[in-house]
Amino acid sequence: MKNDEIPNLESRVLHLVKNDLWNTNPRTGFLTPTFFKSDQNRGGKSLLFGGVRDSYGRSVIRSVELKRDGTVTPNLEISFDRRGSKEFDSDGTILGHINTVGDKVRLFYVGFRRSERVKFQAFSGLAESDDFGTTFIYQKRIFTRVPTSSNLSESPDIIACHWNNLDIHGDGLALIAIGNGWQNIGSGVFPRYSSYLVQSKAFEIENILAKIPQRKDLYRLGRPRLIQGNFESSNIVVATGGKVDGDYRPYFFEFNKLSFIERFDYRFPIEPGLMTFCKKQIGYPEFFTFPGDDVSFVVFNGDNMGETGAYAIESQI
């Protein structure tokens, strides 16, 4: 991209969810933004959920209602809060995935807990809503183990579900990030992980179907999301990759015949370093379309792991 195109590109980006919406602290962020559209019988709203940190760095899940004209209305209630649960999610929660099965809106989330052995552990949980996604009630931890036949660690520090088409019994397909150790970067230690398509049975990993290919310079590849298809025909998956030098950006993959191939022509028109709010990082993109609209949008996080909120731009995908 030419330098004279950069100001025009930045002018097309909307700072969609800012930190001052809930008047908390200046590093709240809106991490892993996730779109959900309720049907007309459930309120007919377009909602965006994200993880919002408190002053101790623990994240709760909040939501905003989106309108086509760019209007953002925050839900003043916390949608989901497990801080202090004394379980796997006692130190914060982020998205996950949201869908509906039957009369329930279901929240699949990633819960964090600090550990004496490692910096933290992150596992998946399920919550459900009876009020069209305004608030959620905890149900249980899910995907508690990996198959012994997978050649992966039997006790990884991270098992994080970021997309699924599970039925009411927990059967179906899921995209999951699984930890594989820790990476020393400067004076800090950061989790390493890779992403997989798995077969689920009763909310447990029954079989790992395919690994998403990971470049050698990426120590982590996570937040895998299906953005096109249904794993029956043409399928495009996006995941966020991180390098040791701090570079974070999305990578796109096509799935066909139980294998993934990286695609280079499915990037949205932003890369790290092109704008003031994403000098090193662009992460966790979520693609969505308003009902009755043929224009797609992408919402994403910028530098410092999304602490400045969420941004949106019209997508070329």
Side-chain angles (χ1 to χ4, degrees):
M1 181 170 293
K2 299 178 181 179
N3 288 335
D4 58 3
E5 294 177 346
I6 294 176
N8 181 52
L9 177 61
E10 187 155 356
S11 68
R12 292 164 48 199
V13 176
L14 173 66
H15 195 172
L16 190 64
V17 182
K18 300 180 181 179
N19 289 341
D20 58 1
L21 278 181
W22 294 280
N23 296 316
T24 51
N25 72 80
R27 299 186 62 188
T28 54
F30 197 73
L31 192 63
T32 57
T34 303
F35 182 79
F36 173 72
K37 172 64 179 177
S38 61
D39 61 39
Q40 293 300 320
N41 295 328
R42 298 173 181 269
K45 296 181 178 180
S46 295
L47 302 174
L48 190 69
F49 292 82
V52 178
R53 301 180 183 95
D54 64 15
S55 58
Y56 297 97
R58 302 173 302 175
S59 178
V60 300
I61 294 175
R62 287 187 177 270
S63 68
V64 299
E65 182 180 356
L66 301 180
K67 295 292 181 60
R68 181 63 178 83
D69 62 3
T71 304
V72 175
T73 304
N75 174 13
L76 298 182
E77 290 188 73
I78 294 177
S79 298
F80 190 64
D81 183 2
R82 290 282 289 172
R83 292 173 297 180
S85 68
K86 297 183 180 180
E87 296 187 41
F88 71 97
D89 50 8
S90 62
D91 289 313
T93 53
I94 61 172
L95 284 297
H97 184 65
I98 298 178
N99 63 16
T100 58
V101 172
D103 60 351
K104 298 287 187 180
V105 181
R106 303 194 305 185
L107 169 70
F108 296 86
Y109 70 93
V110 181
F112 294 86
R113 185 172 186 176
R114 296 182 178 91
S115 168
E116 293 182 358
R117 183 176 60 82
V118 293
K119 186 176 181 180
F120 64 82
Q121 294 178 307
F123 298 113
S124 295
L126 171 66
E128 293 181 341
S129 173
D130 292 319
D131 56 10
F132 313 130
T134 301
T135 57
F136 291 84
I137 298 173
Y138 172 77
Q139 301 297 310
K140 61 182 178 179
R141 181 181 163 188
I142 60 175
F143 300 123
T144 60
R145 59 186 180 271
V146 297
T148 56
S149 60
S150 65
N151 295 321
L152 300 175
S153 170
E154 294 185 21
S155 301
D157 293 315
I158 295 174
I159 306 177
C161 176
H162 291 285
W163 176 90
N164 69 73
N165 63 3
L166 305 185
D167 64 18
I168 193 171
H169 305 293
D171 300 347
L173 300 176
L175 289 168
I176 293 182
I178 299 177
N180 53 24
W182 293 80
Q183 177 73 44
N184 293 312
I185 302 178
S187 58
V189 181
F190 299 86
R192 303 173 60 94
Y193 44 78
S194 301
S195 292
Y196 303 84
L197 174 67
V198 308
Q199 181 74 47
S200 171
K201 182 71 173 179
F203 297 105
E204 293 289 355
I205 301 174
E206 182 179 46
N207 187 28
I208 293 180
L209 301 178
K211 179 182 179 181
I212 299 178
Q214 187 167 335
R215 298 184 184 186
K216 292 182 179 180
D217 60 347
L218 299 179
Y219 76 95
R220 66 204 303 184
L221 183 69
R223 178 67 171 165
R225 301 277 291 162
L226 181 71
I227 61 174
Q228 177 182 310
N230 54 12
F231 286 112
E232 293 179 357
S233 55
S234 176
N235 310 283
I236 302 297
V237 169
V238 62
T240 297
K243 300 179 181 180
V244 172
D245 65 3
D247 181 284
Y248 275 69
R249 65 181 68 202
Y251 296 85
F252 294 83
F253 306 88
E254 183 174 9
F255 180 81
N256 188 25
K257 296 181 180 179
L258 291 183
S259 64
F260 289 94
I261 299 175
E262 185 174 349
R263 302 248 343 204
F264 296 94
D265 57 334
Y266 269 83
R267 297 179 185 275
F268 64 94
I270 301 179
E271 293 183 0
L274 294 182
M275 280 161 289
T276 56
F277 54 82
C278 56
K279 295 179 180 179
K280 293 285 288 186
Q281 297 179 356
I282 292 176
Y284 315 124
E286 172 80 328
F287 296 83
F288 66 91
T289 303
F290 286 101
D293 199 337
D294 59 357
V295 178
S296 295
F297 297 87
V298 58
V299 59
F300 58 94
N301 292 133
D303 288 333
N304 300 317
M305 295 298 179
E307 74 173 22
T308 54
Y311 301 86
I313 190 172
E314 184 175 325
S315 170
Q316 295 182 353
I317 293 181

